[in-house]
């Protein structure tokens, strides 16, 4: 066939499923964006409770959670630190029965896998419940294990007026934690080596960096009537009135926080007048959703200036995830998800971060970087850049047969979904092809108009119609709309 300069049927099939015919634009498979903007100008692939590999209550904590997230290009990992025995800090989900792993081992795994999938900086978000004594041990481990990879001083000027870029921070690991005083004071302290000190931070009553008092996970409660050892009853602690309390922090750990200082979120107004560019906030999904609904413009203005991390509510005990799209729409950089939980939400996350070579940093659209932007997802106005999209669904090839059907033949259908600003959300579905998983043929065309293609993701999902009310998932592919190859 080759001698006659022809193509066999098998060759054609092989060509159709090769990289040359990939729907994903070839030039987006490597880093192609400008990586010299300040950190807050990027969406950053972020994980929540990275040490958990199943649920949030009794499941195992495992080092594989960290290795696996890093290998998927995740750039912000969460570490819950608690006092352990023999002065060894441990990592687990506090006040639950999840198992414990050593802080030291976590840092060794981070050291090993940090830059396998991407050269760009990794942020370790510490949810720190340790005593000053064990915080000092944490600081020693961070320095001794990570060595030169650990960022311990500013790049260039000591006075920080703008965050550095991912490019400037290549191969660096940053610590995100509470910090005493300014960067300058911390660096002076390091030079003088007055490291054994303990400083106090006055703070509103809050359990941790995550201010999760109102969104903490259910507690294991002992049940008198039950013969089993314990029962899990989701209990939301009563809302306490905020009161001042002192947090003790070891200066040795505090001084390792350079560009990612955790600051309790008070209000957008308060941040605008008081917050420094290297201070960032964590906001729970419930509160963040209210802001998206009622003060989207202020939210966008906030995320143009400060790194903002969103985390799942504590009642998600099964490690379920929220839809990350609504928080990307307002420019939140660190939209943290439970990486161990498959489903649409993680598919959107994985699809979004396929972009820019899968390096874990994606430059936000200009209207989410500009301090004077008036963009809101609900009312895109002059930021609309409409694009018409036509998709012709031709056929399928060797789809997996259904697990549920008796004849082992699927009745496949395809959903095509757009995720983006509210106006762009759309779902269309094909007809069902009966009993043909080998070569179903649809020949259907679907048309969409997308107002803000810069934020849109497109998801193709193939299902088997098991009955009129139930479909079985067969496979999916999600990618950013602007990464779609034509033709």
């Amino acid at each position: 066939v080759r001698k006659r300069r022809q193509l066999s049927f098998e060759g054609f099939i092989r060509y159709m499923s090769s990289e040359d015919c990939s729907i994903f634009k070839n030039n987006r498979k490597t880093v192609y964006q400008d990586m010299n903007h300040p950190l807050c100008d990027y969406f950053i692939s972020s994980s929540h409770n990275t040490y958990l590999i199943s649920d949030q209550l009794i499941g195992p904590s495992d080092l594989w959670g960290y290795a696996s997230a890093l290998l998927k290009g995740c750039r912000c990992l969460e570490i819950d630190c608690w006092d352990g025995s023999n002065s060894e800090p441990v990592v687990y989900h506090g006040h639950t029965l999840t198992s414990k792993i050593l802080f030291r081992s976590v840092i060794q795994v981070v050291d090993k896998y940090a830059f396998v999938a991407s050269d760009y900086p990794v942020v370790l978000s510490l949810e720190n419940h340790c005593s000053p004594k064990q915080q000092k041990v944490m600081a020693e481990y961070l320095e001794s294990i990570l060595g030169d990879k650990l960022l311990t001083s500013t790049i260039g000027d000591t006075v920080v007026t703008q965050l550095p870029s991912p490019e400037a921070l290549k191969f660096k690991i940053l610590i995100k934690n509470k910090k005493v005083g300014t960067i300058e004071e911390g660096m002076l302290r390091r030079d003088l080596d007055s490291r054994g000190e303990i400083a106090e931070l006055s703070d509103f009553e809050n359990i941790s960096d995550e201010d999760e008092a109102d969104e903490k996970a259910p507690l294991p409660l002992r049940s008198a009537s039950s013969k089993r050892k314990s029962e899990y009853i989701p209990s939301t602690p009563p809302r306490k009135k905020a009161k001042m309390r002192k947090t003790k922090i070891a200066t040795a750990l505090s001084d390792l926080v350079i560009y990612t200082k955790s600051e309790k979120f008070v209000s957008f107004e308060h941040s605008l007048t008081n917050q420094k560019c290297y201070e960032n906030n964590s906001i729970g999904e419930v509160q963040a959703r209210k802001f998206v609904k009622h003060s989207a413009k202020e939210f966008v203005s906030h995320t143009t200036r400060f790194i903002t991390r969103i985390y799942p509510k504590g009642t998600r005990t099964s490690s379920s995830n929220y839809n990350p799209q609504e928080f990307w729409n307002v420019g939140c950089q660190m939209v943290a998800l439970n990486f161990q939980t498959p489903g649409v939400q993680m598919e959107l996350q994985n699809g979004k971060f396929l972009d820019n070579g899968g390096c874990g940093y994606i430059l936000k659209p200009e209207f989410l970087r500009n301090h004077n932007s008036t963009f809101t997802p609900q009312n895109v106005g002059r930021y609309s850049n409409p694009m018409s999209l036509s998709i012709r669904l031709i056929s399928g090839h060797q789809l997996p047969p259904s697990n549920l059907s008796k004849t082992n033949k699927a009745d496949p259908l395809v959903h095509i979904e757009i995720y983006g600003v509210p106006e762009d959300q759309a779902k269309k579905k094909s007809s069902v092809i009966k009993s043909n998983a080998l070569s179903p043929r649809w020949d259907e065309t679907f048309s969409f108009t997308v107002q803000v293609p810069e934020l849109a993701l497109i998801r193709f999902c193939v299902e088997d119609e098991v009955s009129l009310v139930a479909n079985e998932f067969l496979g999916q592919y999600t990618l950013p709309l602007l990464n779609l190859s034509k033709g």
Side-chain angles (χ1 to χ4, degrees):
V1 174
R2 186 175 288 175
K3 276 183 189 147
R4 295 202 302 265
R5 309 215 36 146
Q6 291 175 345
L7 193 59
S8 67
F9 179 69
E10 290 83 354
F12 174 70
I13 291 292
R14 194 174 296 172
Y15 168 67
M16 287 297 284
S17 54
S18 73
E19 284 293 289
D20 289 328
C21 290
S22 168
I23 196 170
F24 194 92
K25 280 185 182 165
N26 223 359
N27 60 350
R28 305 283 170 94
K29 290 179 184 170
T30 51
V31 175
Y32 68 94
Q33 294 179 339
D34 182 353
M35 300 305 280
N36 293 297
H37 287 259
L39 277 182
C40 58
D41 281 2
Y42 296 84
F43 292 119
I44 302 169
S45 176
S46 302
S47 152
H48 172 251
N49 287 356
T50 317
Y51 48 88
L52 293 180
I53 55 170
S54 71
D55 66 88
Q56 310 270 323
L57 283 182
I58 53 175
S61 302
D62 200 295
L63 293 170
W64 174 242
Y66 289 96
S68 143
L70 287 166
L71 291 173
K72 288 177 187 160
C74 180
R75 300 285 89 191
C76 176
L77 309 172
E78 187 180 23
I79 311 180
D80 277 23
C81 314
W82 298 80
D83 280 358
S85 48
N86 309 328
S87 287
E88 284 277 0
V90 290
V91 173
Y92 81 111
H93 201 204
H95 310 301
T96 65
L97 300 185
T98 59
S99 62
K100 298 172 182 174
I101 47 182
L102 293 177
F103 178 78
R104 173 171 43 112
S105 309
V106 170
I107 303 308
Q108 285 166 340
V109 168
V110 170
D111 179 58
K112 185 173 175 185
Y113 291 100
F115 303 109
V116 175
S118 167
D119 302 348
Y120 291 103
V122 169
V123 177
L124 301 183
S125 180
L126 303 183
E127 193 184 309
N128 190 349
H129 305 268
C130 290
S131 62
K133 187 181 163 198
Q134 294 210 11
Q135 288 180 37
K136 203 172 164 228
V137 175
M138 286 164 61
E140 284 162 11
Y141 282 143
L142 288 165
E143 293 192 76
S144 62
I145 295 168
L146 299 177
D148 292 345
K149 293 183 188 134
L150 184 68
L151 187 77
T152 55
S153 65
T154 55
I155 295 170
D157 293 344
T158 314
V159 180
V160 181
T161 52
Q162 182 181 311
L163 285 173
S165 67
E167 193 62 40
L169 291 167
K170 259 185 166 177
F171 301 112
K172 286 294 180 192
I173 295 173
L174 284 69
I175 304 302
K176 177 172 156 327
N177 190 44
K178 285 223 168 72
K179 180 177 180 69
V180 182
T182 63
I183 295 183
E184 300 83 56
E185 291 162 5
M187 281 167 64
L188 275 173
R189 241 195 323 261
R190 277 182 72 82
D191 293 342
L192 297 168
D193 205 30
S194 53
R195 311 282 302 290
E197 293 175 11
I198 293 166
E200 283 194 338
L201 277 175
S202 287
D203 208 347
F204 288 111
E205 168 73 79
N206 68 329
I207 293 175
S208 66
D209 157 35
E210 304 298 346
D211 75 351
E212 283 180 335
D214 56 337
E215 295 194 9
K216 206 57 189 162
L219 307 177
L221 299 183
R222 226 166 254 287
S223 159
S225 60
S226 160
K227 290 198 174 123
R228 280 175 299 158
K229 278 204 177 130
S230 60
E231 289 199 336
Y232 295 92
I233 303 165
S235 68
T236 308
R239 283 202 121 138
K240 297 193 199 102
K241 282 208 175 85
K243 57 176 189 281
M244 294 300 275
R245 84 155 193 193
K246 300 261 192 271
T247 311
K248 286 191 164 60
I249 183 162
T251 50
L253 184 61
S254 166
D255 294 348
L256 295 181
V257 176
I258 307 293
Y259 294 119
T260 39
K261 175 183 176 183
S262 300
E263 200 52 54
K264 188 174 165 62
F265 181 75
V266 181
S267 69
F268 294 134
E269 204 177 29
H270 180 271
S271 293
L272 200 53
T273 30
N274 300 292
Q275 206 161 305
K276 298 185 174 70
C277 67
Y278 57 82
E279 296 177 328
N280 52 59
N281 312 113
S282 286
I283 305 176
E285 66 166 292
V286 176
Q287 191 184 13
R289 203 169 281 120
K290 286 178 188 153
F291 290 148
V292 171
K293 199 172 170 187
H294 303 296
S295 28
K297 200 169 145 193
E298 292 82 353
F299 207 162
V300 170
S301 168
H302 181 82
T303 61
T304 63
R305 293 169 171 82
F306 309 110
I307 292 179
T308 306
R309 180 173 174 273
I310 309 295
Y311 58 90
K313 59 187 176 186
T315 48
R316 293 185 179 275
T317 52
S318 63
S319 296
S320 62
N321 281 313
Y322 52 75
N323 178 352
Q325 185 69 45
E326 55 184 325
F327 304 122
W328 290 328
N329 285 346
V330 290
C332 296
Q333 294 84 348
M334 296 178 167
V335 178
L337 295 181
N338 292 300
F339 268 49
Q340 73 273 35
T341 309
V344 176
Q345 299 84 357
M346 265 316 284
E347 286 157 13
L348 296 176
Q349 156 80 21
N350 294 337
K352 185 170 190 69
F353 286 98
L354 282 175
D355 200 0
N356 205 22
C359 76
Y361 285 83
I362 292 170
L363 189 62
K364 298 198 285 184
E366 204 275 334
F367 54 80
L368 291 177
R369 306 193 308 257
N370 181 342
H371 288 357
N372 303 317
S373 174
T374 56
F375 172 84
T376 69
Q378 292 88 344
N379 182 11
V380 299
R382 63 189 176 90
Y383 298 99
S384 168
N385 177 19
M387 171 176 163
S388 61
L389 172 70
S390 170
I391 291 196
R392 182 160 165 238
L393 172 65
I394 303 170
S395 62
H397 178 66
Q398 292 190 332
L399 300 178
S402 164
N403 294 325
L404 301 178
S405 75
K406 295 187 172 61
T407 56
N408 229 5
K409 285 182 177 171
D411 296 344
L413 69 146
V414 180
H415 296 270
I416 300 177
E417 306 169 347
I418 306 281
Y419 291 84
V421 299
E423 199 179 339
D424 289 338
Q425 297 280 2
K427 287 189 181 189
K428 302 199 172 179
K429 74 173 186 178
S430 72
S431 53
V432 177
I433 306 294
K434 290 285 179 195
S435 305
N436 187 350
L438 187 68
S439 56
R441 180 141 185 186
W442 286 276
D443 277 324
E444 293 175 41
T445 300
F446 301 90
S447 298
F448 301 89
T449 302
V450 181
Q451 298 300 327
V452 188
E454 299 91 334
L455 287 173
L457 297 171
I458 181 164
R459 178 175 183 264
F460 300 89
C461 179
V462 185
E463 291 180 342
D464 171 29
E465 187 181 68
V466 181
S467 68
L468 288 174
V469 289
N471 291 346
E472 187 193 3
F473 174 83
L474 296 181
Q476 70 85 39
Y477 185 61
T478 304
L479 75 165
L481 188 60
L482 295 178
N483 290 13
L484 205 57
S485 259
K486 291 178 190 170

